[in-house]
Amino acid sequence: MRSDGCGTLRTDDAGRRVALCGWVARRREHGEHLAFVDLRDRSGIVQCVVDGASDLRSEYVVRVVGTVRVRPEGTDNPDLATGEVEVGDCTVEVLNRAEPPPFPVTDRVDADETLRLRHRYVDLRRGRMQRNLEVRAAVNAALRAAMERHGFLEVETPLLWVPTPEGAREFVIPSRLQQGCFYVLPQSPQLAKQLLMVGGLDRYYQIARCLRDEDLRADRQFEFTQLDLEASFVGQDDVLDVVSEAVLDATEAVVGERPKAMPRLAWGDAMERFGSDKPDLRAGPELVELDRVFAGSGFRAFAGAACIKGLRVPGQGDLGRNRLDALVEAAKGLGAKGLVWLRVGEEGALESPVAKFLSDEERAGVLAATAGRPGDLVLVVADERDVAQTVLGQLRLDLGRPPVSEGPYRFCWVVDFPLFEGLEADGRPIPAHHAFTMPHPDDLELLASDPLAVRSQSYDLVLNGWELGSGSIRIHRADVQARIFATLGISEEEAKARFGFLLGAFRYGAPPHGGFAVGLDRLVAILAGEDNIREVIAFPKTQSGVDPLTGAPAPVAPRLLADLGIRVLPPEG
RNA sequence: GGUCCCGUGGUGCAGUUUGGAGUGCACGCCGCCCUGUCAAGGCGGAGGUCGCGAGUUCAAAUCUCGUCGGGACCGCCA
């Protein structure tokens, strides 16, 4: 039916008779006997010169047979990849007519989100969406290639899984054959892949769909895709190395160059330096420690504070009082007792409502510690350590963070997470990752005495402030697992009830193993220059979880519910 | 569950602060003209429940309340 893609034609093709199929992107009529028709397919756009186009309209589907020729002198179009050629002597066959599209099929204007999704099949014709899905496919292919190269075996795992009490809210699937019982859709293949390790598959990977019934965000959809992997007889560095290579391969495949650095940050250092466990390395200066500078300060807000941290905001010394007051309010909203701001003036003079409470040494110390220069703004928070960190970390992003989709690509690993993230009201620790995460070998002795100080062998991959994925080395030995359960206050019976089938499997020879999962939608979005993952998903849902194209979710026939033994309650109120 | 922004011919916007006739801009659509354009150009035309519902008012796109839809965020996402 066709010989070439519209966007592939070049001067080399001049003289060739070609058959092209595509959509009418635009037509420019110059009277009865000359018209230019821009023909579009996935490969791009090419100009066809036809003898009258009055029977053609936008988005008509046509087949054009014509001869490629170099454009006449002075009429080439440098904005078009095919701009040096055109297709002449055309015969045009209309394969299908089309109503005018509900919104323009162009990257120039952004249409209403509902309209785009209701007519996604039109939206997908736009160059932006086609490029994004091509990026997605390229990332997919690069990741697969890397995993295959390292001997990982692709294995599929069930979508109909068993409810588990931990973690995200699950999508529930009623069973027809076992009325009153339910499957759930997996929030990740976590337990399945650990069973594969017990099963001796050694190295597993899967481009896996994961489902979580939680509220949607710019970086979260109900269903999302992960490069999921797990390997036996590995340590943390082995996992980090193979994931780094795969992700850098994918990045190189899309942007053409390979980010050189993939630094590893200890979680504690990330919190100290960036006030975040998913630091955006692009967002300006790091937080600095000011405890020493203000040790013994006469300023009441600083004296006796558990921690004093500062942040330099380059060039923002000219922020007005309204903005500065708003910053103080924002800091309080984030949990800080207060926020001190200082403008750095000429000669390093500090202008601030609290400047008069500070000694000369303190003022000089702040400038030296933050490297503040004239025109800068310096923010200081004195509070509990975690509060000072996270508040300044958030302000750092608010004041200095480029859009996530804006390069460069600054990957980093965050390692040495705490095993527990806090204490329940009754004093039991709360696992930060999941109950099967291996503690750091050096910290095993602290489990009973100081559980919150125990580090884990879990790790996150971060790109430009987005968490791209996480993983851990898992516990494979019953005695360590028992100690963790004891620390968590989980009895033997309870453990059996909640995780029975996994613990059962571990009795029959579980190898040491660990793994990772890379969030594909987020990676692709950033590499495609998008700040919303809907733009890299062919058929996403709106923020309220609706698909305007299909109308999902929708009621089902009463007969179907009857088969399932389900009765729907009337709406409340 | 909560906070904020948006909703105006097919599309994207302005108009809303300070109420006074559905006013405007660009694109698209329809018709005519036009032989080198490329976001073609010229002339003419059609197209509106100002998301929906109450309220205030002599008068509401504009003010108030509610509601629906979209988006960003908090909670939530081990």
Side-chain angles (χ1 to χ4, degrees), chain A residues 89-127:
Chain A
D89 299 324
C90 291
T91 59
V92 178
E93 177 188 357
V94 174
L95 301 175
N96 211 344
R97 289 145 60 100
E99 292 179 25
F103 50 88
V105 183
T106 168
D107 294 340
R108 243 188 308 282
V109 285
D110 220 348
D112 175 79
E113 192 70 20
T114 319
L115 252 196
R116 291 181 60 196
L117 294 184
R118 181 174 302 142
H119 302 278
R120 191 60 155 180
Y121 40 83
V122 174
D123 195 39
L124 290 173
R125 283 180 206 161
R126 301 193 304 154

Side-chain angles (χ1 to χ4, degrees), chain A residues 144-431:
Chain A
R144 269 183 201 282
M147 300 317 294
E148 294 287 337
R149 193 164 64 238
H150 283 91
F152 283 72
L153 186 73
E154 184 169 10
V155 182
E156 293 173 84
T157 53
L159 278 179
L160 297 177
W161 194 245
V162 66
T164 49
E166 308 293 300
R169 185 182 298 115
E170 294 162 325
F171 281 98
V172 176
I173 308 292
S175 163
R176 175 178 58 85
L177 297 179
Q178 318 287 334
Q179 283 202 2
C181 288
F182 300 86
Y183 305 94
V184 301
L185 301 175
Q187 29 180 306
S188 82
Q190 178 62 39
L191 299 179
K193 68 181 177 180
Q194 292 192 243
L195 294 174
L196 290 177
M197 293 303 100
V198 183
L201 275 300
D202 199 288
R203 294 179 163 222
Y204 140 91
Y205 84 98
Q206 181 183 195
I207 307 280
R209 195 65 64 86
C210 307
L211 301 109
R212 296 180 187 173
D213 188 4
E214 300 285 356
D215 287 4
L216 291 76
R217 288 281 196 284
D219 60 351
R220 279 159 39 189
Q221 284 270 311
F222 282 154
E223 43 187 316
F224 57 99
T225 306
Q226 292 186 335
L227 168 66
D228 191 53
L229 60 100
E230 192 82 7
S232 296
F233 311 113
V234 294
Q236 176 168 313
D237 284 350
D238 300 308
V239 178
L240 266 50
D241 286 346
V242 71
V243 174
S244 295
E245 186 177 323
V247 168
L248 290 175
D249 281 1
T251 304
E252 186 175 8
V254 173
V255 304
E257 66 184 63
R258 197 174 185 87
K260 284 180 219 46
M262 208 144 175
R264 298 180 186 182
L265 292 170
W267 175 84
D269 291 339
M271 295 305 295
E272 286 290 345
R273 292 169 55 190
F274 303 99
S276 169
D277 60 4
K278 42 180 180 178
D280 191 333
L281 303 183
R282 308 166 304 156
E286 303 178 8
L287 315 187
V288 296
E289 192 75 33
L290 297 176
D291 286 348
R292 298 255 294 273
V293 173
F294 292 113
S297 174
F299 180 39
R300 196 136 44 99
F302 290 174
C307 168
I308 305 175
K309 291 192 82 74
L311 172 69
R312 178 172 77 93
V313 188
Q316 301 278 336
D318 56 353
L319 282 187
R321 274 307 280 266
N322 287 346
R323 287 290 314 277
L324 293 168
D325 290 344
L327 282 182
V328 174
E329 286 313 305
K332 288 178 178 170
L334 292 165
K337 292 197 250 317
L339 174 75
V340 167
W341 56 262
L342 310 106
R343 291 181 176 127
V344 184
E346 294 305 317
E347 312 281 320
L350 286 179
E351 182 202 337
S352 166
V354 308
K356 56 178 178 280
F357 301 117
L358 305 179
S359 69
D360 290 347
E361 291 75 23
E362 287 171 331
R363 289 200 290 265
V366 171
L367 268 188
T370 59
R373 291 197 300 254
D376 290 348
L377 179 70
V378 172
L379 303 176
V380 181
V381 172
D383 217 301
E384 297 304 318
R385 180 155 297 272
D386 58 335
V387 175
Q389 288 172 342
T390 53
V391 169
L392 282 178
Q394 185 59 51
L395 294 179
R396 173 176 176 268
L397 296 179
D398 292 347
L399 291 166
R401 185 182 186 195
V404 67
S405 51
E406 211 172 88
Y409 305 100
R410 300 290 302 274
F411 290 94
C412 67
W413 287 101
V414 179
V415 302
D416 292 345
F417 274 78
L419 189 60
F420 306 108
E421 63 181 9
L423 297 175
E424 297 276 12
D426 59 8
R428 289 179 304 145
I430 306 163

Side-chain angles (χ1 to χ4, degrees), chain A residues 523-565:
Chain A
L523 175 61
V524 171
I526 294 175
L527 293 180
E530 298 287 357
D531 51 22
N532 193 305
I533 65 171
R534 285 193 304 272
E535 304 299 337
V536 298
I537 297 172
F539 300 104
K541 307 275 189 289
T542 67
Q543 197 163 59
S544 53
V546 167
D547 178 356
L549 170 57
T550 63
V556 298
R559 173 65 198 276
L560 277 177
L561 291 179
D563 283 351
L564 297 165

